Amino acid sequence: MRCGLLDSESPITPTGPINDSPFRTIPAMIYNGLPVELRQTIGGPLGDVSEDVPIATDGNAVVFRLSQRLTRPAEELVQDFVINFDQVIPRPFCSSGPLDFVYVVGPVHLRQVTSLDRGGDYGFDFQASGTLYVTPVDPMSGTPTGPTVQAVVTESHSGKLNSRFHFAESFKLQMMSNEGDADYSSLFVKIHADSRGRDKYRKVEQCGPEPSIVTTTK
C-alpha cells in the first residue's frame, strides 16, 4: 500500500473461501523448531508436539488491485571476476568410478551481464572460460596417480523474459588432453527451452575413439 500503486477506492478485496480449515499440517519436527512467539502467533500449541500440527485458516486470500504502473529507469548490472581453482574434485566427466578424483589448478574468467529495460524486458548473459591443469590423485592421500594434462573449459548461459516470449539456453564444452595425446576426452552439452515449445537437448561425451551421444528434441 505504501507504493501508491493500488486503486484508491478499492485497494484490497477478499477472494471468498478458497479452501477449508485446517489447511494441511506443519510436520512435528519442523514445528518443534519454531520459536514460542511464532507458535503463539499462529495459534498452535506452545510446547513441543509429537504429531503434525494442523494449519488454521479462514480459507480466504486477499487481492491487491493495481491502478497504475511503476515507472523505472533501464538498468544493466555487470559482474566480472576471476576464480583461481586450486582444489581436488571428482572427475567432471569420463569418470571411472566414485573414487576417480582430480586436482585442478588454474584461472577461470567469469562475466555476467543482466539487464532490465523500461518496458520490463529482462535479459541475462553469462560467460566463463579458462585453461586449467588437471592431475589424477588418490582422494584419500592426495598423491598423484597419473600425469598432468591441460584442460580447456568454456561455458555460457543466456535468457530473456518479457510478457510475450521467454527462453533460456546453456552451452558447455570441456576438453582434457596434452598436445599430441591420443587419450583425449571431452564433454559437450547444449540445452534450449522457450515458451514456444522449441525445447532441445544434446550431450556428447568422448572418453576414447568413439563419442557417446545423447540427443533429445521436443
Side-chain angles (χ1 to χ4, degrees), residues 191-202 215-218:
I191 186 170
H192 173 96
D194 64 39
S195 56
R196 295 172 183 167
R198 297 177 300 188
D199 303 337
K200 297 180 180 180
Y201 173 76
R202 181 174 175 84
T215 303
T216 301
T217 302
K218 181 180 178 181

Side-chain angles (χ1 to χ4, degrees), residues 13-50:
T13 57
T15 60
I18 295 177
N19 54 261
D20 297 330
S21 181
F23 180 71
R24 299 180 180 174
T25 60
I26 303 174
M29 182 176 65
I30 295 177
Y31 187 86
N32 292 338
L34 299 177
V36 175
E37 295 80 4
L38 182 54
R39 301 183 195 185
Q40 184 176 14
T41 300
I42 63 177
L46 299 184
D48 288 349
V49 298
S50 57

Side-chain angles (χ1 to χ4, degrees), residues 166-180:
H166 58 265
F167 82 90
E169 61 184 13
S170 176
F171 166 86
K172 178 192 295 184
L173 177 62
Q174 301 176 351
M175 300 180 292
M176 284 194 293
S177 70
N178 280 326
E179 186 175 354

Side-chain angles (χ1 to χ4, degrees), residues 1-13 62-68:
M1 296 182 68
R2 292 193 300 267
C3 72
L5 302 179
L6 299 185
D7 183 82
S8 59
E9 297 183 359
S10 181
I12 298 175
T13 57
V62 175
V63 177
F64 295 90
R65 297 174 60 89
L66 296 174
S67 61
Q68 53 186 309

Side-chain angles (χ1 to χ4, degrees), residues 129-183:
S129 61
T131 299
L132 306 172
Y133 292 91
V134 181
T135 306
V137 296
D138 182 329
M140 306 303 294
S141 65
T143 304
T145 58
T148 298
V149 299
Q150 189 178 81
V152 176
V153 297
T154 181
E155 190 168 332
S156 67
H157 310 279
S158 60
K160 186 174 184 179
L161 173 66
N162 58 38
S163 60
R164 305 171 301 280
F165 176 71
H166 58 265
F167 82 90
E169 61 184 13
S170 176
F171 166 86
K172 178 192 295 184
L173 177 62
Q174 301 176 351
M175 300 180 292
M176 284 194 293
S177 70
N178 280 326
E179 186 175 354
D181 191 350
D183 188 18

